[in-house]
Amino acid sequence: MSQTSPTPPQLILRFFRMYCDPHMVEDIEGDLVERFEIRASKNGHKKARQLFIKDVLQLCRPGIIRPITGTQKLNKLGMFKNNIVVAKRQLLRHKMYSTIKIGGFALGIAVCLLITLFIKNELSYDKHIPDHQNLYRVLNNYELDGNVIRWTWFAPPFAQAIQDDFPEVTLAGRTLEGNGFGAGKTNIRIEGDLQNYYEGDFIYADQQILDLFQFEMVRGNLKEALAQPNTLVMTRKKADKLFPDENPIGKTVYINGNTNRPFKISGVLEDLPSTGFFQFDFLWTLSGQEFWDGEQASWESQNYQVYVRVNPGTDIASLNSRLSEIGTKYILPIEKRNGNPNAEEEMKKMSFSLQPVTDIYLNSTDISDPYRKSDIKYIWIFGIIAAFILGLACINFVNLSTAKSANRAKEVGLRKTIGSYRSHLITQFLTESILYSLLSFGIAIGIASLAMPYFNQLANKSLVLPWAELWFIPTLLVSALIIGIIAGLYPAFYLSSFKPAQVLKGKLSMGSKSSRLRNSLVVFQFTASIVLIIGTFVVYQQMEFILNTNTGFDKEQVIQVRGTGFLGDQTSPFKNELIKISDVSNVSVSSYLPIASTSRNGNTWWKDGKTKIDAGITGQNWEVDEDYLATLGLKLIEGRNFDRAMRSDTSAMIINREMAKTLGIIDNPIGQKITNRASNRNVWTVIGLIEDFNFEDLTAPIRPLAMRLNYGANIASIKMSGENIASTLSQIEAVWEEVAPNQPFVYEFMDQSFAKMYANVKQIRNILTSFAILAIIIACLGLFGLSVFMVEQRSKEISVRMVLGAKVTQVVSMLSINFMKPIVLALIIATPIAWYMMNQWLNDFEYNIGLSVQLFVLAGISALLIALITISFQSLKAAFTSPVEGLRNE
């Protein structure tokens, strides 16, 4: 039985014959086939085919490629020039349609460009850190009632333990942040200078933090800048401000007026990139620092952030599964020693894990930590919105191109009659589309440049068009070509499909009335627009609800004066002088306030005598003074307030209703004993019960809270009762200057601080509003263009109706009804989509407005009115036009 000889791949062979010079085809093809047969016999058919393809591709080069000469070359060049001329002629002949196409395209592209730069900026967070692929922070995970609570505070020895016990961890370091330890916004004074400066953010840090993050050093030695006790490093901008034209290395500064502990400046860091979760102005060393006796060796307090570097290639999942050994080895024995009978059960609920530092900014919404952050879901939302808006602009192009098909039908018929191929017509229409796209991109860059300051204000960014980056211009050009081709594909194939016989007989004069596709695209446009409108309404109402809801405390006309921590014994005289001001009703000094960026102190609490029986509950432990409740308007339900004259109040507590309920003492709280130590070392007597109030943002439920009496905090809250705020502020400042003559007067209204907690939500609201408006504008541009076309097509019918006595309202209704049908359908489709999306968003808030039918009705009516106004402009114009004009040429 004879075996068929192998043959080279015929498709590749045809490709070779197509591009090869005809004078060389026979000789080269013979050599290729002969070489293929030899290889097939030696190496097998499969290998021979692969090498044959490689040979054919390598031969596709100058000298072998078929030359374009003579009339063929002239025809190609002439055809290209002709396409450009025709495209330009079409653009100028139909100015309104061209303006709508290019304007809509440009708006869509400008929005895409701005959002792309925004997303690129958001995704770049912490990518600048050297070796960021191996840098992680440690998370605490605790399972409670089926949910996992995650936070980032650890005991002082944790960092050393993880480095010692796990060989994969090459380095570990800690930071300590928060006003409770003097970090945060703090006073600094240069030795020899009387003036204090309230300057920037202070963070405690180990020397290892400098080694882990490898900050760029301007002055000093990065390897030892924080290695010695009482050393401090600062950023360049702070060094330039405090020590202009000087080298600050070795200079002495005092923090919060504490002259007993001077700090030496040991380094100046380059200013931190804005695209980083880790932001500070000063780092002061943890070397030699102990906040109370035995603090650094204690496993019973959690105050430190822990960062680690691991060996490249480390299996993080495997390492995470073994990190619980730290709890078993170090924490469990202490809990057992303190007599906690549930220690082993609680340890099973606890685990530790590593999170990449590049995930901190966008993937930490469910993690309690001290850092500013965003949410990865907003990146997806903005990306989808950008795609939708660009899609709306492309839809306008398709709709208007197909709507005008009747006007170009004769052109297509004549071209085909004189011998033009369909491929030539497709090339012509794609050339027009690409020309529109290139013009739109040029205009879009101008729009984006003009809108950039406004967008930066909305998004709280400092974005610029990256002209200096090599990728930018090529990306724009390639995008213009791709979008031009995609937007022009359907119109090109649709218009080029007309048959000459039908066109020239006049059978296609109304062929463009086949509007199923156009109506479908209009439905899509307004579905996206209505979803954005509903989203904007929901976000706006939720923001108004948050800012105006009763949070349980009074934030109106309360100012916060910062930097009172150094006053010491002058705190009481300061308060007494303020109370003398007629429009000041109350003054309280406490670093613990129901707004962001103030102190927090989480403890485990038990009813006294239950530490060896019950599992503890988690609650806050705040330090306040006797005027705290009155200043913030907190409601005392039972018991009494603190009394400074009663010595027993040093061991007294005022708790909120949630604390009493969780501890099981809600029926008779006054006089109950509670403790926040399993060893029963601290026992407190409940003297008062206050109504619950929201001391965190409204995304979280109200949690247990206890307050104890203490003084010397860093923030003074001053309640004003009068209307003359400017005068009262001047008097407060005068008292401040008398008590603290060399200390800057730094203040902020509490309601403003409260609003800052929701700055990111306000940004989302403003951005969504802007995008919704743009989407509506683009959709209405297309609708306007289609209404103009429809009026043109039906001008004879309108004139006849008017001659026969039709009223203006009847004509307007006739023209509008066909357009309103797809808008109504879009509303029906958009409603469940928007309902689902906004319900998911509202679920992030413990307290929210819910979704009401009225809100959707309002959004639907708004969309219908906008569409009706857009359509009615042309409808009214047609109805009021003299019938003679419409019948003149008939």
Side-chain angles (χ1 to χ4, degrees):
M1 186 174 179
S2 62
Q3 186 175 5
T4 305
S5 60
T7 58
Q10 295 303 301
L11 183 62
I12 300 299
L13 196 58
R14 285 197 293 271
F15 171 68
F16 165 75
R17 292 168 182 164
M18 180 190 72
Y19 77 70
C20 187
D21 189 326
H23 299 95
M24 305 168 68
V25 168
E26 187 175 347
D27 293 337
I28 296 177
E29 182 178 334
D31 292 339
L32 286 171
V33 172
E34 183 179 354
R35 190 180 304 172
F36 171 81
E37 292 172 347
I38 294 172
R39 286 169 173 166
S41 62
K42 289 184 177 180
N43 304 318
H45 193 191
K46 182 178 179 181
K47 183 68 174 178
R49 288 172 63 88
Q50 293 174 351
L51 293 173
F52 183 84
I53 295 171
K54 181 180 178 182
D55 288 343
V56 170
L57 293 176
Q58 287 178 338
L59 286 170
C60 188
R61 60 178 186 266
I64 295 179
I65 295 177
R66 181 193 301 265
I68 300 176
T69 58
T71 57
Q72 185 183 9
K73 182 175 182 179
L74 291 174
N75 286 342
K76 292 282 185 182
L77 182 61
M79 185 177 296
F80 176 75
K81 289 182 177 179
N82 180 69
N83 288 343
I84 296 295
V85 170
V86 173
K88 181 180 177 182
R89 187 181 300 150
Q90 287 293 327
L91 189 151
L92 296 175
R93 180 180 298 169
H94 306 286
K95 292 183 176 63
M96 188 198 71
Y97 285 96
S98 299
T99 300
I100 293 174
K101 283 184 180 181
I102 294 174
F105 246 151
L107 277 177
I109 293 164
V111 170
C112 267
L113 181 56
L114 291 173
I115 293 179
T116 300
L117 292 175
F118 173 81
I119 292 175
K120 184 176 181 296
N121 178 268
E122 291 283 281
L123 295 177
S124 70
Y125 266 69
D126 301 304
K127 300 289 176 59
H128 62 272
I129 301 173
D131 196 29
H132 62 263
Q133 300 89 340
N134 299 308
L135 190 59
Y136 296 81
R137 74 166 172 182
V138 189
L139 301 180
N140 237 320
N141 311 291
Y142 188 80
E143 186 178 342
L144 181 66
D145 299 330
N147 299 315
V148 177
I149 302 172
R150 302 201 291 170
W151 68 96
T152 61
W153 285 275
F154 290 87
F158 191 97
Q160 192 61 49
I162 196 173
Q163 183 174 339
D164 292 343
D165 293 359
F166 298 92
E168 300 96 326
V169 177
T170 60
L171 189 64
R174 307 168 302 165
T175 63
L176 179 62
E177 307 175 39
N179 290 322
F181 294 91
K185 300 287 185 181
T186 305
N187 300 288
I188 183 172
R189 179 168 66 85
I190 303 167
E191 186 180 43
D193 189 353
L194 296 177
Q195 179 66 41
N196 277 282
Y197 300 92
Y198 192 73
E199 284 296 332
D201 290 309
F202 283 72
I203 294 177
Y204 287 100
D206 288 322
Q207 167 61 39
Q208 288 88 338
I209 291 297
L210 298 182
D211 301 329
L212 287 167
F213 286 88
Q214 301 179 52
F215 300 109
E216 184 180 348
M217 206 76 171
V218 179
R219 296 181 185 272
N221 185 349
L222 186 71
K223 296 298 182 183
E224 57 184 33
L226 294 178
Q228 299 301 317
N230 298 337
T231 51
L232 175 149
V233 300
M234 62 177 63
T235 58
R236 181 200 285 267
K237 65 181 178 182
K238 292 303 177 184
D240 290 344
K241 181 174 182 179
L242 296 175
F243 301 94
D245 303 320
E246 289 186 70
N247 181 358
I249 301 298
K251 301 282 187 178
T252 299
V253 295
Y254 301 107
I255 309 300
N256 274 336
N258 184 3
T259 56
N260 295 323
R261 192 184 179 200
F263 279 83
K264 292 286 185 183
I265 298 174
S266 54
V268 177
L269 306 177
E270 187 57 81
D271 292 335
L272 303 178
S274 60
T275 53
F277 79 93
F278 203 18
Q279 298 291 321
F280 57 85
D281 296 300
F282 300 88
L283 289 180
W284 45 358
T285 185
L286 281 167
S287 176
Q289 176 69 56
E290 193 161 54
F291 294 97
W292 62 82
D293 289 341
E295 182 258 347
Q296 286 295 300
S298 172
W299 283 89
E300 295 186 79
S301 62
Q302 297 184 351
N303 298 308
Y304 294 83
Q305 312 287 308
V306 176
Y307 299 89
V308 301
R309 182 189 296 146
V310 301
N311 284 317
T314 296
D315 186 340
I316 299 300
S318 173
L319 179 57
N320 284 341
S321 67
R322 292 183 284 116
L323 287 180
S324 58
E325 296 171 11
I326 294 179
T328 305
K329 181 177 179 180
Y330 299 101
I331 302 174
L332 183 59
I334 295 173
E335 292 295 311
K336 287 183 174 180
R337 189 164 59 246
N338 288 336
N340 184 355
N342 303 303
E344 291 192 5
E345 289 301 316
E346 290 180 12
M347 199 56 57
K348 291 178 182 178
K349 298 178 181 179
M350 181 183 293
S351 64
F352 309 113
S353 59
L354 301 184
Q355 180 189 31
V357 292
T358 50
D359 283 355
I360 292 175
Y361 180 69
L362 287 176
N363 295 282
S364 300
T365 54
D366 62 334
I367 300 171
S368 177
D369 64 26
Y371 301 119
R372 66 186 182 97
K373 48 199 170 187
S374 185
D375 192 339
I376 189 65
K377 69 184 178 185
Y378 291 130
I379 301 300
W380 286 103
I381 290 171
F382 289 151
I384 292 170
I385 288 173
F388 271 143
I389 289 180
L390 184 60
L392 299 184
C394 291
I395 286 171
N396 282 350
F397 185 91
V398 173
N399 271 352
L400 294 177
S401 296
T402 55
K404 294 290 286 182
S405 59
N407 299 60
R408 304 199 66 179
K410 289 183 179 180
E411 175 192 344
V412 172
L414 288 172
R415 280 172 173 261
K416 284 190 173 183
T417 301
I418 62 175
S420 182
Y421 292 112
R422 187 183 183 189
S423 60
H424 295 161
L425 294 171
I426 291 173
T427 302
Q428 169 64 54
F429 295 128
L430 285 178
T431 301
E432 292 179 20
S433 177
I434 292 171
L435 178 62
Y436 281 118
S437 182
L438 289 170
L439 289 172
S440 299
F441 263 82
I443 297 171
I445 291 172
I447 295 173
S449 299
L450 293 173
M452 189 69 80
Y454 173 72
F455 184 77
N456 281 333
Q457 185 179 1
L458 282 181
N460 193 26
K461 295 286 184 182
S462 300
L463 303 176
V464 294
L465 293 176
W467 293 108
E469 297 190 29
L470 295 176
W471 60 270
F472 185 59
I473 294 177
T475 301
L476 289 179
L477 292 175
V478 171
S479 300
L481 291 173
I482 292 173
I483 291 174
I485 291 171
I486 291 174
L489 275 176
Y490 178 80
F493 279 92
Y494 176 73
L495 294 173
S496 63
S497 65
F498 296 158
K499 300 187 183 305
Q502 292 179 330
V503 171
L504 297 178
K505 288 178 180 179
K507 293 183 179 180
L508 205 65
S509 61
M510 298 298 286
S512 61
K513 275 192 168 183
S514 178
S515 57
R516 183 177 299 174
L517 173 67
R518 288 197 300 279
N519 285 340
S520 299
L521 294 178
V522 169
V523 168
F524 175 83
Q525 280 186 313
F526 274 87
T527 298
S529 301
I530 292 168
V531 169
L532 280 174
I533 291 173
I534 293 173
T536 301
F537 283 175
V538 172
V539 174
Y540 180 82
Q541 289 193 6
Q542 178 65 17
M543 269 306 301
E544 291 300 305
F545 170 77
I546 287 172
L547 295 177
N548 297 300
T549 192
N550 181 13
T551 55
F553 67 93
D554 187 0
K555 56 184 178 291
E556 304 300 325
Q557 289 191 312
V558 177
I559 70 164
Q560 305 162 275
V561 177
R562 303 271 179 164
T564 59
F566 80 103
L567 289 177
D569 294 339
Q570 293 297 308
T571 301
S572 291
F574 174 61
K575 290 177 61 177
N576 293 336
E577 289 300 315
L578 289 176
I579 288 295
K580 293 178 182 178
I581 300 173
S582 59
D583 286 338
V584 172
S585 58
N586 292 101
V587 181
S588 172
V589 178
S590 173
S591 293
Y592 295 85
L593 293 167
I595 54 175
S597 302
T598 60
S599 295
R600 295 293 182 268
N601 183 17
N603 287 184
T604 303
W605 294 90
W606 294 264
K607 185 179 178 181
D608 187 34
K610 298 286 188 178
T611 56
K612 297 182 180 181
I613 301 173
D614 297 336
I617 69 162
T618 301
Q620 287 289 307
N621 181 4
W622 287 14
E623 298 175 355
V624 303
D625 63 11
E626 66 275 14
D627 298 307
Y628 190 88
L629 303 187
T631 303
L632 296 187
L634 301 180
K635 183 181 179 182
L636 188 66
I637 304 172
E638 292 185 47
R640 63 176 177 84
N641 192 11
F642 293 114
D643 187 342
R644 192 173 184 182
M646 298 182 65
R647 299 181 67 179
S648 61
D649 276 8
T650 56
S651 60
M653 282 283 183
I654 295 176
I655 63 175
N656 69 348
R657 184 189 291 273
E658 183 64 22
M659 171 73 89
K661 186 169 60 177
T662 310
L663 284 175
I665 59 174
I666 187 66
D667 293 331
N668 185 27
I670 306 305
Q672 296 282 351
K673 305 287 186 179
I674 62 175
T675 179
N676 60 341
R677 295 286 186 187
S679 59
N680 288 337
R681 283 180 292 176
N682 294 335
V683 178
W684 310 87
T685 302
V686 177
I687 65 168
L689 179 71
I690 59 171
E691 189 60 78
D692 289 336
F693 65 98
N694 295 96
F695 56 86
E696 303 293 357
D697 64 50
L698 295 182
T699 61
I702 296 174
R703 304 191 188 279
L705 169 68
M707 298 178 180
R708 59 191 174 95
L709 194 60
N710 206 357
Y711 305 100
N714 205 42
I715 304 174
S717 299
I718 304 169
K719 176 67 175 178
M720 297 181 294
S721 55
E723 297 296 328
N724 195 348
I725 294 176
S727 174
T728 306
L729 279 174
S730 297
Q731 295 177 69
I732 293 172
E733 185 174 6
V735 173
W736 177 262
E737 290 177 353
E738 182 179 344
V739 177
N742 299 308
Q743 180 68 23
F745 181 63
V746 180
Y747 73 92
E748 186 173 33
F749 284 92
M750 183 175 280
D751 56 352
Q752 294 174 342
S753 300
F754 181 80
K756 285 182 180 179
M757 295 168 62
Y758 305 97
N760 63 327
V761 181
K762 289 175 71 176
Q763 289 170 9
I764 299 301
R765 178 194 67 183
N766 294 336
I767 293 173
L768 272 177
T769 302
S770 301
F771 288 163
I773 292 171
L774 284 172
I776 285 292
I777 289 173
I778 293 171
C780 288
L781 278 174
L783 199 60
F784 179 78
L786 289 178
S787 66
V788 172
F789 161 75
M790 188 58 67
V791 168
E792 288 179 358
Q793 291 290 80
R794 303 182 70 175
S795 60
K796 177 182 176 182
E797 177 188 350
I798 294 168
S799 299
V800 171
R801 286 177 178 271
M802 296 296 290
V803 169
L804 295 177
K807 297 180 180 178
V808 171
T809 54
Q810 292 174 318
V811 173
V812 172
S813 175
M814 176 193 71
L815 293 173
S816 301
I817 194 71
N818 287 334
F819 282 105
M820 296 309 294
K821 288 178 182 177
I823 309 302
V824 172
L825 179 59
L827 177 60
I828 294 171
I829 296 172
T831 298
I833 297 173
W835 184 285
Y836 173 79
M837 292 174 64
M838 298 320 298
N839 190 57
Q840 292 294 110
W841 182 75
L842 286 174
N843 284 340
D844 288 341
F845 294 87
E846 185 71 18
Y847 308 94
N848 60 60
I849 57 172
L851 293 174
S852 63
V853 175
Q854 292 90 336
L855 188 146
F856 285 81
V857 171
L858 178 62
I861 292 174
S862 300
L864 290 171
L865 283 176
I866 291 169
L868 188 60
I869 290 170
T870 303
I871 298 164
S872 297
F873 179 81
Q874 281 299 313
S875 300
L876 287 169
K877 182 180 176 181
F880 284 112
T881 300
S882 171
V884 177
E885 296 292 329
L887 298 172
R888 186 185 299 276
N889 297 320
E890 295 298 328

